[in-house]
Amino acid sequence: MGKTISEKIFSNRSGRDVYANDIVVADIDRLMAHDGNGPLAIKIFRDLGGARVFDPARMVFVLDHYAPSPNERVSRIHDIIRNFADETGCRLHDVGDGICHQLMMEKHGVRPGDLVVGSDSHTCTYGALNVFSTGVGSTDTAAAMLTGKMWFKVPETIAVNVVGLPPQGLAAKDVILNIVSLIGADGAAYQAIEFKGEYASAMSMDDRFTFSNLAVEMGAKAGIFEYDDKTGAWLDDVGSGKGDYAPVHSDRDALYSRSVAVDVSALAPVVAMPHAVDTIAPVSDLDGLPIQQAFLGTCTNGRLSDLETARGILKGKKVAPGLRFIVGPASRDVYIEALKNGIITDLVEAGAVIVPPGCACCVGVANGIPGDGDAVISTANRNFRGRMGNAKASIYLASPATVAASALFGKITDPRKVL
Amino acid sequence: MKGTAHKIGDDINTDYIIAGKHKRDTFDAALMAPHLFEDLDPGLASRIKPGDIIVAGKNFGCGSSREAAPMVIQAAGVSAVLAPSFARIFFRNAINIGLPLLQCDTSAIDDGDLLEIDIAGGVIRDKTHKKDISFKKLPEAMSAIFREGGLVPYLKKHKQFPV
Ligand code: SF4
């Protein structure tokens, strides 16, 4: 019987011929922990009697959630990670290097066919690279640090076929928010998603990262793309193309739990409404709603093409008076590129506040907490009440173009007016 | 175990269980416990007495991978969480630390009901409504971990995963 991408990766990494619903112990190719959940993983690793990490070169720590440290307690937490990395020889990204997921893909040789786990739910982002990657908690992370292995139930897979020609002004973020709304916050629970179809093939790598990133907002364990020339070129660009990785393709007769078809030609730009990611509305319905803060960044939409899109809309103009426009590049490399080609200058001239590469104001633990009653438009992946640090604020999620257009007018704005 | 039901809705995410700002400075769950469910219902944490039971709707624990979520529920003295479905990472995390999650139909349970849970017997008794509710058995691998009190004690004893 044919296999899905997930069934093949779990077969390869467990050394057994496995299918959906089989329970396996599998070898982990890369493991990641950040400052949010890493210190607890280190404590549990010690509780388990751990001294040596199974392979320090495969274990990456990233200080990104609270970066730079806002107080002495966080500084102590950062030091736990720094000291541990120093002692064990694990890799470490200190504050300012960027968001863990972007760094895993840019700097740590995450490659097609790999099995990767991280102490963060958006670890699923690397699915865009034809990887099975998923988020776990601190105890599972600690056990994997010790053994290099983890137990899994091989997931069933939903095939999401994205077809059709996108109308002008429709961003990948609009498409994936539509898919999240269609499938629902738990519609893919315990399952993997394979994104397929002509639109998926035509997507840029940055857009594929946005898609895979939002898989967990449907409850999915992973959101995976087929490998193609674009994947290969991206890996070559970041220096992960060397060596002999083996892309994994799904078989024609693979068994899917269900298929969902999405025709993008019928879609329009949307926002996810407060306080749920799967409740969307056409941006045109909200056009004119006053906002106090706009945020461009995160592991969903803080990459170069996202910044470039915003520059296209804001260059030579000014954001609305009284509006805070916060921009957090996803990584140091993204930041440097954006500096070199003038994007940062154009955005700062337009009124942007650039914050260090990292999670910025995504999860309400660093600079950029909204005020009471504020409406925020953001490119992030979650808009739960209190997510950005203030339960009295409302968060609308949208594409980089919608966020930039809205920043320009100080109101939620249909990006098709300015594109 | 026996306790009062605290009923909450569908899709309760880990940010509602414990907000990022309260888990930032510490990983001591006891320090975070007063802020349990704060952005959902600011008074709820103080109404939860040791032994009480959280009765939720579908997809409980969706969102982030923070293990602080089940840890804080445990630290607040909650003896079990009942829901028709749990989000994947939260489910693993809770079992890994030995917090009982019982998958069952919660629609007939009302806020304030007195519940008695017999885990070994597979039954929840709603003393208020005089009604028994059955729950789904854990998959064998998770049951093995749960019986030892979590993944750390399990691995210390067995030196390998329960597969
Ligand atoms: S950017 Fe936001 S969603 Fe992404 S890893 Fe950081 S806190 Fe999580």
Side-chain angles (χ1 to χ4, degrees):
Chain A
M1 189 170 70
K3 287 182 176 174
T4 62
I5 293 174
S6 301
E7 288 168 334
K8 287 190 178 179
I9 292 177
F10 280 110
S11 294
N12 291 341
R13 292 302 184 261
S14 69
R16 292 168 48 199
D17 185 27
V18 295
Y19 291 90
N21 298 314
D22 286 341
I23 306 267
V24 299
V25 173
D27 291 327
I28 305 298
D29 291 289
R30 291 284 183 279
L31 183 56
M32 184 279 293
H34 56 57
D35 47 355
N37 299 323
L40 181 60
I42 290 169
K43 179 185 175 290
I44 298 167
F45 176 80
R46 302 272 196 226
D47 289 349
L48 279 166
R52 290 187 42 235
V53 171
F54 80 104
D55 181 356
R58 292 167 187 256
M59 172 78 217
V60 184
F61 286 99
V62 183
L63 309 186
D64 59 351
H65 276 55
Y66 331 127
S69 166
N71 66 37
E72 75 276 21
R73 292 178 300 281
V74 169
S75 301
R76 273 180 222 121
I77 281 170
H78 281 174
D79 277 345
I80 293 173
I81 293 184
R82 290 190 188 103
N83 294 338
F84 184 83
D86 202 36
E87 222 175 276
T88 55
C90 291
R91 298 181 172 192
L92 171 72
H93 287 283
D94 216 307
V95 301
D97 276 356
I99 304 168
C100 53
H101 305 307
Q102 189 66 15
L103 293 168
M104 287 302 284
M105 300 191 296
E106 280 180 358
K107 302 285 181 199
H108 294 286
V110 170
R111 303 185 314 166
D114 278 357
L115 175 61
V116 181
V117 297
S119 77
D120 188 280
S121 57
H122 293 104
T123 302
C124 55
T125 309
Y126 333 151
L129 294 174
N130 190 236
V131 169
F132 191 100
S133 57
T134 196
V136 296
S138 297
T139 298
D140 279 324
T141 301
M145 282 161 65
L146 192 65
T147 62
K149 296 175 193 296
M150 193 171 292
W151 75 271
F152 296 90
K153 181 159 120 182
V154 180
E156 296 182 332
T157 299
I158 301 174
V160 176
N161 283 300
V162 197
V163 299
L165 269 182
Q168 209 260 329
L170 185 79
K173 180 68 166 286
D174 297 313
V175 178
I176 189 65
L177 286 175
N178 270 282
I179 293 172
V180 172
S181 159
L182 186 72
I183 291 186
D186 65 345
Y190 299 93
Q191 302 181 67
I193 292 172
E194 283 182 21
F195 294 111
K196 300 164 168 296
E198 64 199 45
Y199 180 83
S201 312
M203 284 168 79
S204 71
M205 289 310 295
D206 277 6
D207 286 346
R208 292 180 193 181
F209 295 136
T210 303
F211 258 52
S212 294
N213 180 269
L214 278 150
V216 70
E217 307 312 324
M218 299 174 260
K221 201 161 175 176
I224 309 177
F225 280 79
E226 291 281 346
Y227 172 92
D228 64 14
D229 292 348
K230 276 186 237 176
T231 329
W234 193 92
L235 290 163
D236 285 345
D237 258 9
V238 299
S240 294
K242 315 279 175 296
D244 49 345
Y245 59 76
V248 175
H249 301 280
S250 56
D251 291 327
R252 282 176 159 275
D253 56 344
L255 210 62
Y256 291 89
S257 57
R258 64 185 170 120
S259 282
V260 176
V262 178
D263 182 355
V264 300
S265 64
L267 303 180
V270 291
V271 295
M273 301 292 287
H275 309 280
V277 187
D278 62 348
T279 310
I280 60 170
V283 61
S284 51
D285 282 10
L286 296 162
D287 205 88
L289 186 120
I291 50 165
Q292 288 72 41
Q293 182 165 318
F295 174 39
L296 173 68
T298 79
C299 56
T300 315
N301 279 123
R303 282 173 275 272
L304 195 66
S305 59
D306 303 319
L307 272 49
E308 176 72 60
T309 297
R311 185 250 294 263
I313 292 169
L314 292 165
K315 185 178 163 74
K317 307 197 174 102
K318 291 269 184 257
V319 302
L323 173 115
R324 288 101 53 194
F325 179 41
I326 298 176
V327 178
S331 70
R332 188 181 295 277
D333 283 3
V334 167
Y335 196 10
I336 291 170
E337 280 305 307
L339 281 164
K340 280 189 187 154
N341 57 31
I343 296 175
I344 298 293
T345 307
D346 291 336
L347 292 177
V348 172
E349 279 177 354
V353 179
I354 312 291
V355 296
C359 300
C361 49
C362 179
V363 60
V365 291
N367 294 334
I369 313 283
D372 292 355
D374 278 0
V376 180
I377 192 151
S378 160
T379 62
N381 45 38
R382 286 192 180 135
N383 58 350
F384 308 145
R385 189 187 293 118
R387 170 73 180 181
M388 295 180 77
N390 186 344
K392 297 193 185 81
S394 300
I395 308 165
Y396 297 81
L397 304 178
S399 72
T402 302
V403 167
S406 302
L408 187 57
F409 294 104
K411 299 173 182 139
I412 292 185
T413 301
D414 190 326
R416 290 169 296 194
K417 289 184 179 170
V418 294
L419 281 172
Chain B
M1 48 185 86
K2 209 173 183 175
T4 303
H6 295 277
K7 194 123 191 225
I8 52 180
D10 290 339
D11 299 317
I12 301 301
N13 59 67
T14 55
D15 280 78
Y16 290 169
I17 299 172
I18 186 69
K21 64 183 173 192
H22 295 305
K23 74 174 262 289
R24 181 185 69 184
D25 295 6
T26 178
F27 47 92
D28 181 346
L31 291 177
M32 294 181 250
H35 303 289
L36 177 64
F37 297 125
E38 189 174 85
D39 288 343
L40 180 71
D41 174 353
L44 184 51
S46 60
R47 297 198 302 273
I48 294 173
K49 301 285 171 283
D52 281 0
I53 293 157
I54 300 296
V55 179
K58 71 170 177 75
N59 200 27
F60 184 80
C62 59
S64 84
S65 68
R66 61 190 70 167
E67 199 158 309
M71 284 169 64
V72 173
I73 293 175
Q74 200 174 48
V78 170
S79 60
V81 183
L82 277 44
S85 62
F86 294 96
R88 185 189 71 83
I89 309 176
F90 178 85
F91 197 13
R92 276 186 84 115
N93 287 346
I95 299 304
N96 277 345
I97 62 162
L99 174 69
L101 300 186
L102 306 180
Q103 204 183 335
C104 62
D105 179 2
T106 55
S107 57
I109 305 173
D110 289 321
D111 192 54
D113 282 5
L114 182 67
L115 305 179
E116 194 178 274
I117 300 175
D118 175 1
I119 291 201
V123 66
I124 301 156
R125 296 197 181 87
D126 188 326
K127 296 291 208 189
T128 308
H129 291 308
K130 310 215 180 327
K131 199 175 167 237
D132 285 1
I133 299 159
S134 61
F135 58 86
K136 215 173 140 185
K137 263 185 67 182
L138 282 178
E140 187 40 42
M142 295 184 103
S143 176
I145 293 168
F146 183 72
R147 280 195 306 269
E148 299 292 357
L151 187 63
V152 170
Y154 184 94
L155 284 176
K156 278 184 170 169
K157 185 163 161 189
H158 300 275
K159 315 277 179 226
Q160 58 176 11
F161 293 104
V163 174

